[in-house]
């Protein structure tokens, strides 16, 4: 029987990502990975795209991974794990390996998923590999020093969308990857956040047990890029959820379902004002950008409610 | 101009803007990211365009598009991104589209060591894409020279309608030095040659008889009323696909010829103390700094050692090396790889004469390592 998703029980789960790694204090990535892996009782095999998670968990001469783990280049995590999965099933079919319920998981950041890795991810899920791909979305290329990605929110300052006299931060709205993946009509797509840990873990279970390709997009704070204190990670993540910047929902066999509805939908300002990357938006000449942002969020939220039959 | 402390990556960005570059498309990668970051600030100020693309394939493709649109265009990357760009570098060579590709080399292969210097992409810069094509590659050794060679890279790419690769390395890219940049109006800048013929006579790949332009037909930017065809297929003078050997051969002859007949303009190098030397050290990029130091030390100890530093590494300065090494007993070639440009040196002067000094472990070659080889050779002379 699956481990009950209760803190008491989960504490007994072996840590698959060992402590001692060099991710920054307050990094969302390790919280996401630990929560997700604790939700899976079965053996896991992991591929990891180039990025903070890969670099900081495998500092010479150590590794934090207590599971089979492979790093490939930036764009190849989804392709690599699809190869591992296909080979395993082939060897099982040939009777050369024992059949176990192995869960194959690819991890990548938003740069390695939304941008350079999108082709590989799209191809892997279209081919139907029985695997879960997880994007930990911190909204920029944090590993190379905070450059904008197509996941970077509108108006955010990054080193390649610098807020100044010419532009007020990133000028484009972010790509909605979760919906792009849902459009692949795969058995399971989920959007989650570590501040709602039980929701994240339940989605993880559904994803690895859906019998086909699954995708999860998980909001993951980077305090270096977002500019907030290291002990505010989960609080600020939850503000992203409660302002409906990052709604929690899932698409199971084509059925859209909202898994969390904020009691009171907070204005986006509540999320923006806690992060240094949006500080310039509060200057008088930029206030209209906050209104624009709010409008976009409202529009998408209403659309989501409708899809989920909540409108 | 006042002195400034800056990184090689910043100097590259400054050089690009000074050379008239108004378009950058790129993708973050250590140790080249600072070029993109700097240009994201500099380009909007001069009416230029900075675009961060979704990967390196898209970056070089956008640069090619921008160049055909009439802009001097740049992309900057490191080994893994340079590998992804290869197909489009071949396209730029085939379609003769001027553009500059900066590769701030790091230790490879694959992800390698992102923050360690290396010179492992020398052969990739020459032969990275498939097929036969000419290429120009330059390698700076200081922050200031990074500025100068970036300007040169643009000039050569415009003058010869060819992709030019600026082969920096992590040390040059990340190192900070005090530099005084020249005033922009003192720089000699190449402009794209304009056509004198009306649209209906225009042939973008014309094999006209050799003239002052060494057979570089003008590339008219899109949007000026000249309708023509650009393709990665072999093409005739108008740009239309061809499989006729009598059209493919003249194209190959011309694109190789325009480089080979212009070596006096393209080959940049610095030589010192070669006249009375009996040992010659040939180096390029960051390794030349250690080599220069070793040569100086050897000379103060009374050795007769010459120094040849190649700024242009492709095309290889065959005649320069041949001439410099003609009377010499031995040639030393230090490189941050397992031996790449040394293969060219050995081809020209003979393997027996050449001693290699190699490291490809992420550390710089120390002057003492080169000095030890010089002293060892001296003992044998």
């Amino acid at each position: 029987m699956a481990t009950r998703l209760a803190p008491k029980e989960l504490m007994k789960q072996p840590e698959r990502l060992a402590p001692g790694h060099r991710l920054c204090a307050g990094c969302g990535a390790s919280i996401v990975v630990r929560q997700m892996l604790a939700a899976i009782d079965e053996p896991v095999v992991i591929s990891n795209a180039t990025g903070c998670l890969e670099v900081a968990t495998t500092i010479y001469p150590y590794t934090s991974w207590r599971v089979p783990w492979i790093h490939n280049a930036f764009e190849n995590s989804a392709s690599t794990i699809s190869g591992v999965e296909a080979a395993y099933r082939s060897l099982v079919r040939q009777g050369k390996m024992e059949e176990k319920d192995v869960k194959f998981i690819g991890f990548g950041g938003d740069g390695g998923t939304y941008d350079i890795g999108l082709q590989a991810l799209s191809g892997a899920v279209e081919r139907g590999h029985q695997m879960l791909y997880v994007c930990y979305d911190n909204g920029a290329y944090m590993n190379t020093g905070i450059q904008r990605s197509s996941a970077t929110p509108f108006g955010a300052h990054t080193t390649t969308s610098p807020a100044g006299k010419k532009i007020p931060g990133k000028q484009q709205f972010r790509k909605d990857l979760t919906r792009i993946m849902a459009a692949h009509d795969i058995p399971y797509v989920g959007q989650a956040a570590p501040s709602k840990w039980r929701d994240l873990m339940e989605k993880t279970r559904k994803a690895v047990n859906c019998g086909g390709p699954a995708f999860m997009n998980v909001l993951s704070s980077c305090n270096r890029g977002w500019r907030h204190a290291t002990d505010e990670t989960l609080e600020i993540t939850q503000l992203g959820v409660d302002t409906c910047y990052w709604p929690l929902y899932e698409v199971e066999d084509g059925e859209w379902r909202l898994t969390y509805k904020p009691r009171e939908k907070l204005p986006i300002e509540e999320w923006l004002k806690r992060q240094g990357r949006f500080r310039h938006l509060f200057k008088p000449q930029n206030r209209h950008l906050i209104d624009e942002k709010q409008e976009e969020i409202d529009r998408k939220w209403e659309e989501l409610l409708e899809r989920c039959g909540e409108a | 101009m006042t002195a400034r402390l800056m990184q090689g990556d910043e100097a590259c960005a400054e050089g690009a803007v000074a050379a008239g570059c108004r378009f950058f498309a790129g993708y973050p990668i250590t140790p080249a990211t600072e070029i993109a970051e700097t240009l994201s600030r500099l380009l909007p100020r001069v009416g230029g365009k900075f675009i961060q693309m979704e990967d390196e394939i898209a970056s070089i493709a956008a640069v090619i598009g921008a160049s055909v649109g009439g802009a001097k265009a740049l992309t900057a990357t490191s080994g893994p991104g340079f590998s992804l760009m290869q197909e489009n570098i071949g396209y730029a060579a085939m379609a003769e589209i001027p553009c500059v590709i900066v590769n701030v080399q790091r230790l490879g292969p694959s992800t390698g060591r992102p923050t360690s210097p290396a010179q492992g992409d020398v052969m990739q810069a020459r032969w990275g894409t498939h097929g036969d094509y000419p290429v120009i590659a330059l390698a700076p050794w200081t922050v200031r020279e990074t500025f100068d060679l970036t300007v040169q890279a643009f000039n050569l790419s415009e003058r010869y309608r060819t992709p030019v690769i600026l082969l920096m390395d992590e040390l040059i890219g990340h190192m900070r030095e005090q530099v005084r940049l020249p005033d922009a109006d003192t720089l000699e800048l190449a402009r794209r040659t304009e056509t004198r013929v009306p649209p209906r006579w225009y042939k973008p790949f014309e094999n006209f008889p050799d003239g002052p332009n060494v057979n570089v037909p003008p590339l008219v930017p899109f949007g000026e009323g000249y309708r023509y065809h650009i393709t990665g297929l072999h093409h005739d003078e108008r740009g239309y696909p061809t499989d006729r050997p009598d059209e493919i051969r003249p194209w190959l002859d011309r694109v190789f010829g325009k480089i080979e007949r212009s070596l006096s303009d393209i080959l940049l190098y610095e030589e010192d103390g070669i006249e009375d030397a009996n040992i010659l050290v040939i180096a390029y990029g960051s390794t030349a700094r250690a080599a220069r130091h070793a040569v100086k030390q050897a000379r103060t100890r009374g050795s007769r050692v010459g120094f040849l530093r190649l700024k242009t590494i492709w095309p290889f300065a065959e005649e320069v090396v041949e001439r410099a090494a003609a009377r010499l007993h031995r040639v030393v070639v230090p490189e941050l790889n397992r031996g790449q440009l040394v293969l060219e040196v050995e081809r020209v002067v003979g393997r027996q004469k050449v001693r290699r000094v190699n490291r490809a472990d992420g550390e710089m070659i120390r002057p003492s390592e080169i000095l030890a080889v010089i002293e060892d050779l001296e003992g044998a002379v």
Side-chain angles (χ1 to χ4, degrees):
Chain A
M1 221 184 80
T3 311
R4 218 157 45 84
L5 293 182
K8 231 177 172 174
E9 297 296 316
L10 292 168
M11 271 170 60
K12 296 178 204 155
Q13 290 280 74
E15 283 282 3
R16 283 164 157 171
L17 180 73
H21 56 72
R22 315 280 176 86
L23 285 159
C24 303
C27 173
S30 55
I31 304 174
V32 169
V33 171
R34 288 176 61 220
Q35 286 186 8
M36 293 186 77
L37 294 184
I40 305 170
D41 290 317
E42 298 82 2
V44 298
V45 176
I46 289 171
S47 84
N48 204 162
T50 302
C52 286
L53 180 64
E54 169 259 325
V55 168
T57 55
T58 57
I59 302 272
Y60 176 83
Y62 304 110
T63 176
S64 287
W65 297 93
R66 290 177 173 152
V67 295
W69 180 92
I70 178 171
H71 160 235
N72 198 345
F74 207 4
E75 66 277 25
N76 300 330
S77 182
S79 316
T80 304
I81 199 67
S82 71
V84 176
E85 187 263 357
Y88 174 73
R89 300 206 196 286
S90 167
L91 291 169
V92 167
R93 264 198 310 277
Q94 295 171 55
K96 292 179 178 169
M97 272 184 105
E98 185 195 341
E99 181 160 18
K100 291 184 199 164
D101 190 11
V102 181
K103 306 301 184 190
F104 297 90
I105 304 175
F107 277 108
D110 50 291
T113 309
Y114 282 68
D115 293 342
I116 195 169
L118 185 58
Q119 179 176 329
L121 173 59
S122 178
V125 301
E126 187 272 337
R127 289 190 301 272
H129 296 277
Q130 205 176 317
M131 56 177 257
L132 163 64
Y133 187 96
V134 183
C135 173
Y136 68 100
D137 180 345
N138 54 29
Y141 291 84
M142 301 308 187
N143 187 42
T144 42
I146 316 164
Q147 292 82 33
R148 61 91 84 189
S149 76
S150 56
T152 303
F154 177 73
H157 167 95
T158 71
T159 56
T160 52
S161 61
K165 280 184 198 137
K166 291 283 177 185
I167 57 161
K170 192 191 175 194
Q171 295 170 286
Q172 299 82 16
F173 287 102
R174 52 185 294 279
K175 189 190 276 182
D176 193 338
L177 182 66
T178 312
R179 273 175 61 188
I180 293 171
M181 294 315 294
H184 283 71
D185 290 332
I186 52 178
Y188 189 84
V189 169
Q191 185 161 288
S195 52
K196 285 284 170 208
W197 61 271
R198 193 191 296 273
D199 179 75
L200 171 61
M201 295 177 94
E202 280 168 357
K203 282 174 178 159
T204 306
R205 283 215 170 145
K206 282 187 184 176
V208 294
N209 291 312
C210 74
F215 171 79
M216 283 179 65
N217 205 357
V218 188
L219 186 64
S220 176
S221 159
C222 166
N223 54 64
R224 299 292 306 134
W226 294 18
R227 299 282 165 197
H228 62 72
T230 54
D231 59 356
E232 296 176 334
T233 298
L234 292 177
E235 195 187 329
I236 287 173
T237 303
Q238 185 54 28
L239 280 172
V241 174
D242 284 333
T243 54
C244 297
Y245 166 77
W246 194 265
L248 306 185
Y249 67 98
E250 63 188 4
V251 186
E252 212 177 344
D253 294 320
E255 287 287 320
W256 291 62
R257 195 171 75 84
L258 206 63
T259 60
Y260 168 82
K261 199 172 179 181
R263 212 165 293 157
E264 185 199 356
K265 178 167 171 276
L266 299 176
I268 192 63
E269 277 195 50
E270 297 301 314
W271 192 59
L272 301 179
K273 72 183 183 193
R274 300 288 297 274
Q275 302 171 56
R277 63 174 170 163
F278 296 118
R279 195 172 46 203
H280 56 282
L281 296 182
F282 291 89
K283 289 179 181 165
Q285 69 270 28
N286 289 334
R287 293 294 301 211
H288 67 283
L289 296 173
I290 298 179
D291 298 338
E292 259 180 67
K293 226 172 140 68
Q294 185 67 59
E295 265 172 46
E296 175 67 6
I297 282 162
D298 292 348
R299 186 184 69 76
K300 297 212 69 162
W301 175 243
E302 293 302 323
E303 209 178 272
L304 182 66
L305 288 178
E306 203 165 307
R307 276 175 191 272
C308 297
E310 301 255 353
Chain B
M1 199 172 192
T2 50
R4 284 167 62 189
L5 187 68
M6 68 167 74
Q7 286 188 328
D9 279 350
E10 291 176 87
C12 174
E14 295 277 357
V17 173
C21 170
R22 290 297 177 269
F23 183 91
F24 177 92
Y27 189 70
I29 187 165
T30 305
T33 304
E34 291 85 352
I35 298 174
E37 289 178 340
T38 308
L39 284 169
S40 79
R41 288 192 304 273
L42 296 182
L43 281 176
R45 288 185 204 157
V46 292
K49 184 76 188 166
F50 169 91
I51 310 183
Q52 187 183 311
M53 303 297 288
E54 71 274 22
D55 60 26
E56 289 88 351
I57 299 173
S59 303
I60 176 83
V63 160
I64 287 169
S67 182
V68 173
K72 288 186 181 176
L74 175 78
T75 188
T77 188
S78 185
F82 195 53
S83 292
L84 289 178
M85 288 182 184
Q86 291 304 328
E87 186 185 26
N88 269 282
I89 292 175
Y91 180 92
M94 175 61 107
E96 296 176 76
I97 295 168
C99 55
V100 176
I101 301 118
V102 179
N103 174 3
V104 188
Q105 296 170 95
R106 67 193 214 186
L107 187 64
S110 190
T111 310
R113 288 289 318 163
T115 50
S116 298
Q119 297 176 314
D121 308 346
V122 168
M123 280 299 172
Q124 189 187 21
R126 178 64 197 89
W127 299 112
T129 196
H130 53 281
D132 279 310
Y133 61 100
V135 85
I136 297 175
L138 312 176
W141 79 327
T142 61
V143 171
R144 169 59 202 263
E145 195 177 83
T146 302
F147 177 94
D148 297 336
L149 289 190
T150 305
V151 174
Q152 278 303 324
F154 276 100
N155 285 350
L156 294 173
S157 89
E158 293 296 333
R159 221 173 274 153
Y160 301 106
R161 245 186 92 174
T162 183
V164 174
I165 293 156
L166 185 71
L167 215 46
M168 296 168 61
D169 57 60
E170 190 274 341
L171 184 106
I172 302 299
H174 278 167
M175 178 178 58
R176 285 186 165 80
E177 286 184 314
Q178 180 178 295
V179 291
R180 284 174 201 278
L181 297 182
D183 288 327
D185 50 7
T186 63
L187 297 171
E188 194 190 317
L189 301 182
R191 288 183 50 190
R192 213 166 281 190
T193 46
E194 287 168 16
T195 182
R196 293 201 182 88
V197 302
R200 55 190 298 231
W201 293 351
Y202 174 62
K203 290 181 192 164
F205 304 96
E206 189 171 6
N207 300 315
F208 53 79
D210 282 354
N213 289 327
V214 206
N215 221 338
V216 183
L219 179 67
V220 181
F222 278 179
E224 295 193 3
Y226 288 72
R227 189 174 67 85
Y228 57 98
H229 194 85
I230 303 185
T231 173
L233 288 157
H234 270 291
H235 43 265
D236 66 10
E237 291 186 312
R238 297 164 305 159
Y240 295 109
T242 180
D243 51 10
R244 285 172 48 174
D246 64 340
E247 287 179 334
I248 294 170
R249 217 178 307 117
W251 176 84
L252 268 172
D253 289 344
R254 180 172 59 73
V255 295
F256 274 91
K258 69 185 178 185
I259 304 296
E260 283 163 3
R261 282 201 292 276
S262 312
L263 294 181
S264 58
D265 182 41
I266 295 170
L267 294 182
L268 308 168
Y269 56 93
E270 176 198 355
E271 53 185 25
D272 184 25
I274 292 184
E275 304 72 31
D276 65 340
N278 52 23
I279 294 171
L280 175 67
V281 179
I282 302 178
Y284 58 92
S286 63
T287 309
R289 300 170 75 100
R292 180 90 189 99
H293 195 72
V295 166
K296 268 189 182 167
Q297 281 182 314
R299 281 203 201 134
T300 47
R301 295 180 193 182
S303 307
R304 289 187 294 152
V305 186
F307 179 62
L308 174 62
R309 183 171 70 83
L310 301 177
K311 303 183 197 179
T312 304
I313 56 173
W314 300 116
F316 183 65
E318 208 167 299
E319 283 171 28
V320 176
V321 169
E322 202 170 17
R323 180 168 41 78
R327 294 171 295 100
L328 299 175
H329 299 290
R330 286 287 189 267
V331 177
V332 181
V333 184
E335 288 182 281
L336 280 182
N337 54 44
R338 299 275 292 183
Q340 296 197 11
L341 202 66
V342 71
L343 297 170
E344 291 292 303
V345 177
E346 288 174 347
R347 181 174 64 78
V348 171
V349 308
R351 282 180 67 180
Q352 305 78 3
K353 270 191 169 185
V354 178
R355 275 285 286 270
R356 303 174 173 202
V357 183
N358 299 109
R359 274 191 96 146
D361 57 3
E363 287 291 314
M364 295 298 298
I365 296 175
R366 299 182 204 311
S368 58
E369 292 171 63
I370 301 169
L371 189 63
V373 173
I374 293 172
E375 284 174 348
D376 182 41
L377 289 174
E378 286 245 291
V381 168

